[in-house]
């Protein structure tokens, strides 16, 4: 018997980007949350886009995320949890700085005692205490 799905969970940035293409909403938590770090990461997109169409699409995605979510902050508790995340990654041979956004999102999940839902679970390997829930990538479901 599997354990019940948590009522709340944090979506990582890649999952937020893929939300419009998701085919199985039951793979997500009933109350999806994002972090301020995800908004920061999404804010970079329009500024580094290579063309007007890409810039407009990324801006629309950012604005949709801002409208749909009230992000969890990267606060003092998350900052302390980031130390644990960085230490976990270092012990596993991975550089925490290489995926600093992911590390900060993971730290926010740990600080809030919430699972992290992601289409890229490998990005969060070797982080002690983090509950990672793999979300099927839309490309793998034929969409």
């Amino acid at each position: 018997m599997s354990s019940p799905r948590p009522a709340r969970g944090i979506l990582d940035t890649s999952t937020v980007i893929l939300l419009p293409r998701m085919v199985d909403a039951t793979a997500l938590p009933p109350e999806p949350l994002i972090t301020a770090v995800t908004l920061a990461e999404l804010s970079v997109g329009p500024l580094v886009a290579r063309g007007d169409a890409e810039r407009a699409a990324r801006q629309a995605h950012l604005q949709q995320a801002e409208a749909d979510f009230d992000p969890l902050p990267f606060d003092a508790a998350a900052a302390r949890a980031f130390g644990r995340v960085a230490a976990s990654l270092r012990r596993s041979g991975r550089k925490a700085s290489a995926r600093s956004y992911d590390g900060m999102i993971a730290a926010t999940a740990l600080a809030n005692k919430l699972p992290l839902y992601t289409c890229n679970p490998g990005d969060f390997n070797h982080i002690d205490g983090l509950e990672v829930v793999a979300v099927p990538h839309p490309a793998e479901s034929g969409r």
Side-chain angles (χ1 to χ4, degrees), residues 124-137:
F124 299 94
N125 283 345
H126 308 292
I127 298 176
D128 295 341
L130 180 65
E131 180 185 350
V132 177
V133 179
V135 175
H137 194 287

Side-chain angles (χ1 to χ4, degrees), residues 9-20 22 27-29 32-42 61 65 69 72 99 101-109 114-125 127 130-138:
I10 294 176
L11 308 181
D12 79 323
T13 306
S14 65
T15 306
V16 172
I17 291 169
L18 293 169
L19 277 176
M22 292 284 170
L28 301 172
L33 305 166
I34 67 168
T35 70
V37 177
T38 288
L39 278 187
E41 199 170 3
L42 290 173
H61 212 101
F69 297 98
L72 295 171
R99 308 271 329 167
Y101 289 126
D102 289 341
M104 293 173 76
I105 292 167
T108 304
L114 293 168
L116 180 69
Y117 288 72
T118 179
C119 292
N120 299 318
D123 290 351
F124 299 94
N125 283 345
I127 298 176
L130 180 65
E131 180 185 350
V132 177
V133 179
V135 175
H137 194 287

Side-chain angles (χ1 to χ4, degrees), residues 31-99:
E31 185 182 344
L33 305 166
I34 67 168
T35 70
V37 177
T38 288
L39 278 187
E41 199 170 3
L42 290 173
S43 295
V44 174
L47 301 173
V48 298
R50 296 178 193 208
D52 291 340
E54 182 181 352
R55 184 173 299 104
R58 289 179 176 197
Q59 184 65 37
H61 212 101
L62 168 61
Q63 289 173 322
Q64 189 67 57
E66 290 173 329
D68 289 346
F69 297 98
D70 183 19
L72 295 171
F74 187 82
D75 57 12
R80 286 188 298 277
F82 184 77
R84 295 192 317 268
V85 169
S88 293
L89 293 173
R90 183 174 289 175
R91 281 191 300 273
S92 74
R94 295 175 69 195
K95 291 185 179 181
S97 60
R99 308 271 329 167

